Amino acid sequence: MREDLHFVDRLHRDLGGVRWAEPEEIRARARRRSRRTAALAATAVLAVLSGSGYVVAGRSGATAPPVAAVSASTATAGPAEIPHEALLSARDVRLKTGAQIGAAGLGEAVRVDPVLEACGRERGVPSAATSRYSRSQTLLRPVDGVAPPLLTQDVYRIDPAQSRLLFGTVALLLDACAQWEITGSGQLGGRTVATVTPHRWERSVSGFAGDESVLLRHVSLPPASVADGTAIKLPPEVEATMVVRVGDLVTVISTGPDTLKADGTGPGPGLSQADLEGLARTAAGRLCVAANPRC
């Protein structure tokens, strides 16, 4: 979902002060690095307090309509605003989903991956485009209690002249930040040591959906001691992000923790790369109803 524009800066500073505890707590903290998990609570509060979001019950195989208007100004969508029909539905995802949370916005920056963008700022990569209108949603897992995100989608309406700038910026980010490390400290062997958390990004495939598209793969490795390389025994976290453009609409679709298949293909639970590409093509088809020019 969409978040405070300064979230990653705060996140970067907070990581420097992390003190590691038990493995399960460490895993939870690592997953909270994802903007989708952190933004979820803020959006849920926004939906309850301001009425600017909507919450619906959803399961794979059923499409649930929003129960409240996003805002007075967007209750009746104009030609430039983004209708709910331009988003994916729960039945488009091959996995079971729980609640669906969403919101709409104006004049927001197009966000691809805030951690990648933090690296880009450090290495002098310019910011991406700014949207005119936007709409977002998060599909949660069907579990009791605090449900982690399964999938997040943002849809932005941008100036057509910025579309090439956006995909050009993504290419620059991947070139500049194929590998990036976040320094911090943690408990290893009963003592506090300086640590480094490696991040890696790569372009898996491009040109598979809409007018332009790219699929990014982000691997976050466990923090390791700077002195001797010793790392806590946790598996790497892998996330995928798809950026798809149709006309003047751009959608960013991102997976939550443990949404992907372990090896990217199958068998087993989760989404394979083929599933992701198919989902992106479905998303491109949904954008056609509101894109300018239409498909």
Side-chain angles (χ1 to χ4, degrees):
M1 309 185 67
R2 207 164 288 105
E3 72 295 332
D4 188 305
L5 296 181
H6 300 294
F7 168 72
V8 176
D9 291 330
R10 296 200 308 271
L11 178 68
H12 197 171
R13 291 195 300 270
D14 291 345
L15 281 174
V18 168
R19 296 295 182 269
W20 296 356
E22 295 298 323
E24 287 303 318
E25 182 180 351
I26 295 167
R27 186 191 301 273
R29 289 182 183 180
R31 286 176 179 168
R32 287 197 294 271
R33 289 197 299 266
S34 167
R35 72 182 176 102
R36 293 98 195 168
T37 308
L40 175 59
T43 304
V45 171
L46 181 65
V48 172
L49 296 182
S50 71
S52 63
Y54 60 85
V55 179
V56 299
R59 295 283 178 179
S60 292
T63 304
V67 297
V70 172
S71 68
S73 63
T74 60
T76 302
E81 296 164 357
I82 301 169
H84 183 258
E85 292 74 19
L87 297 171
L88 292 166
S89 69
R91 67 182 179 185
D92 295 324
V93 183
R94 192 177 56 78
L95 305 177
K96 288 185 178 181
T97 65
Q100 181 179 358
I101 298 176
L106 297 170
E108 298 192 25
V110 177
R111 309 308 302 269
V112 175
D113 180 331
V115 181
L116 177 61
E117 290 159 5
C119 171
R121 285 195 298 273
E122 181 180 283
R123 296 183 176 178
V125 178
S127 300
T130 299
S131 66
R132 290 184 287 153
Y133 294 88
S134 59
R135 187 177 289 275
S136 63
Q137 67 172 343
T138 291
L139 300 178
L140 303 181
R141 294 181 181 276
V143 298
D144 296 330
V146 179
L150 181 72
L151 201 74
T152 296
Q153 181 184 21
D154 300 312
V155 177
Y156 303 95
R157 190 178 298 280
I158 64 176
D159 187 317
Q162 295 193 57
S163 62
R164 290 189 179 276
L165 172 64
L166 172 62
F167 282 83
T169 299
V170 172
L172 289 174
L173 285 170
L174 292 173
D175 289 342
C177 298
Q179 297 188 44
W180 190 50
E181 295 180 340
I182 296 178
T183 58
S185 62
Q187 291 290 322
L188 281 174
R191 60 193 179 91
T192 301
V193 299
T195 61
V196 61
T197 302
H199 291 264
R200 299 174 184 169
W201 287 272
E202 64 180 15
R203 180 191 294 104
S204 294
V205 64
S206 59
F208 54 90
D211 296 328
E212 290 181 277
S213 57
V214 63
L215 191 156
L216 311 180
R217 177 182 168 91
H218 174 203
V219 179
S220 176
L221 300 176
S225 167
V226 172
D228 59 14
T230 302
I232 191 165
K233 295 182 179 179
L234 288 174
E237 291 186 6
V238 182
E239 295 179 326
T241 299
M242 295 174 289
V243 186
V244 180
R245 181 181 69 84
V246 175
D248 64 342
L249 293 181
V250 171
T251 186
V252 179
I253 304 169
S254 304
T255 62
D258 301 322
T259 299
L260 300 179
K261 287 184 181 292
D263 63 356
T265 56
L271 298 177
S272 67
Q273 180 163 314
D275 293 328
L276 293 174
E277 291 180 29
L279 193 62
R281 287 189 286 270
T282 299
R286 295 296 177 88
L287 295 181
C288 283
V289 302
N292 182 22
R294 292 203 172 196
C295 301

